[in-house]
Amino acid sequence: MTAEPDEIGRVQPVVDRGPTVLRIALGGQLRKLRESKGITREAAGDAIRGSHAKISRLELGRTGFKERDIRDLLTLYGVHDPVERASFFELARQASEPGWWHRYSDLLPSWFSTYLGLEQAASQIRTYEAQLVPGLLQTPEYTRAIVTLGFDDAETDRRVQVRQLRQDVLRRVDPPVVWAVIDEAVLHRPIGGREVHRAQLRYLAELSLLPNVTVQVLPYSAGGHAAAGSSFSILRFGEPELPDIVYLEQLTSALYLERRQDLAMYLSVMDQLSVQAERPDRSREILLSYAERD
């Protein structure tokens, strides 16, 4: 267990979380303190010898915290009690500790490292994939085939290893609920060759038997749908102060959407896809049927 200051500075116990989510939680607490005092981002930035943009990044959890900045902000916001201040410093320290993916930082762009931190801390992950099997559900051979499409160098093994380490989250003591809707087009695309593809489909069917994993196939017969041409994931966290996040990955960057209207639209689309897709038991049959095709 770790601890987190609540809206008025008292410390509440929370479940252990990764550094990315701890940064978001700490940033959110600092934002609430600033707003409760009617202090602008510009004034807060001046207090730490920075800009309003830096305050925005800190409050969104997009960057790490220096103890000096935390100290000056708490003083500005009127938090003087030594115990309360110590709780913020401890949370900042934990938020600065690197996750397991840090040792692969030479391979991972910063925008994807952020996603890994969120993925490892999520309590629910809903994803729609139009082209490929979702990364959390890939076999090593399937992953290798995808990796070598974009990178064929001495780091291939490490790139594959990163994706496999991500999957440890599925079988930990408190695994997230993973709900994947996969377009039927994915079942037709033999990434890595026929045998690799077959093994991947069987593995998907096997994973779908886990109590925390649901896999649905969206068949061609469903016709048009609201997510046509777009893959995305929605991450939800166990802590009410953390908003849902929609993740959209591009070739060289990613988008993280948190606005209420964006979340509402993507949640609605995901619900529609889940209704249009085959039931989980029928989807499992379809996966195994495709795996046995010549």
Side-chain angles (χ1 to χ4, degrees), residues 84-239:
E84 293 178 9
R85 292 170 69 92
S87 69
F88 277 95
F89 294 144
E90 175 59 17
L91 190 57
R93 185 192 65 76
Q94 294 178 13
S96 298
E97 292 180 355
W100 61 260
W101 54 93
H102 180 74
R103 64 181 183 272
Y104 298 95
S105 59
D106 57 317
L107 300 178
L108 302 173
S110 59
W111 52 266
F112 188 63
S113 294
T114 297
Y115 177 75
L116 288 181
L118 295 171
E119 183 180 76
Q120 295 294 301
S123 62
Q124 182 185 97
I125 302 169
R126 299 181 70 184
T127 184
Y128 168 68
E129 182 54 69
Q131 302 294 332
L132 302 169
V133 172
L136 272 180
L137 309 178
Q138 294 176 5
T139 65
E141 294 77 18
Y142 188 93
T143 295
R144 182 175 296 276
I146 292 173
V147 166
T148 54
L149 290 175
F151 305 92
D152 192 6
D153 54 29
E155 300 295 349
T156 295
D157 288 344
R158 293 180 68 218
R159 297 181 196 279
V160 173
Q161 189 176 33
V162 169
R163 194 158 299 183
Q164 294 305 299
L165 287 172
R166 286 172 60 189
Q167 297 182 15
D168 289 346
V169 74
L170 296 178
R171 294 183 172 85
R172 70 186 185 194
V173 176
D174 58 338
V177 172
V178 176
W179 191 339
V181 177
I182 300 172
D183 196 280
E184 186 175 355
V186 176
L187 311 188
H188 285 273
R189 184 170 289 106
I191 301 294
R194 189 64 192 141
E195 291 309 311
V196 168
H197 186 60
R198 282 177 170 173
Q200 175 62 77
L201 297 182
R202 294 191 190 102
Y203 184 60
L204 270 179
E206 176 187 334
L207 285 177
S208 71
L209 295 173
L210 293 175
N212 59 308
V213 177
T214 298
V215 177
Q216 289 183 274
V217 174
L218 182 66
Y220 288 148
S221 60
H225 56 83
S230 175
S231 300
F232 63 93
S233 295
I234 305 173
L235 287 75
R236 176 164 292 176
F237 306 92
E239 292 70 37

Side-chain angles (χ1 to χ4, degrees), residues 19-20 22-24 26-27 53-66 69 95-96 114:
T20 302
L22 288 173
R23 285 202 307 270
I24 294 173
L26 178 55
K54 180 177 180 180
I55 293 297
S56 179
R57 290 194 299 272
L58 288 172
E59 292 181 349
L60 291 171
R62 299 289 190 259
T63 187
F65 295 85
K66 295 179 180 178
D69 291 342
S96 298
T114 297

Side-chain angles (χ1 to χ4, degrees), residues 11-84:
V11 175
Q12 298 291 328
V14 295
V15 177
D16 287 337
R17 298 176 294 185
T20 302
V21 169
L22 288 173
R23 285 202 307 270
I24 294 173
L26 178 55
Q29 292 295 330
L30 290 172
R31 176 182 55 78
K32 290 176 183 177
L33 284 172
R34 178 180 60 76
E35 292 177 345
S36 71
K37 298 296 183 179
I39 296 172
T40 65
R41 286 195 179 93
E42 287 76 9
D46 289 341
I48 62 171
R49 300 153 297 281
S51 65
H52 68 90
K54 180 177 180 180
I55 293 297
S56 179
R57 290 194 299 272
L58 288 172
E59 292 181 349
L60 291 171
R62 299 289 190 259
T63 187
F65 295 85
K66 295 179 180 178
E67 183 173 326
R68 182 183 66 177
D69 291 342
I70 298 292
R71 183 178 63 247
D72 292 344
L73 288 174
L74 292 177
T75 298
L76 178 66
Y77 301 156
V79 179
H80 301 293
D81 182 87
V83 175
E84 293 178 9

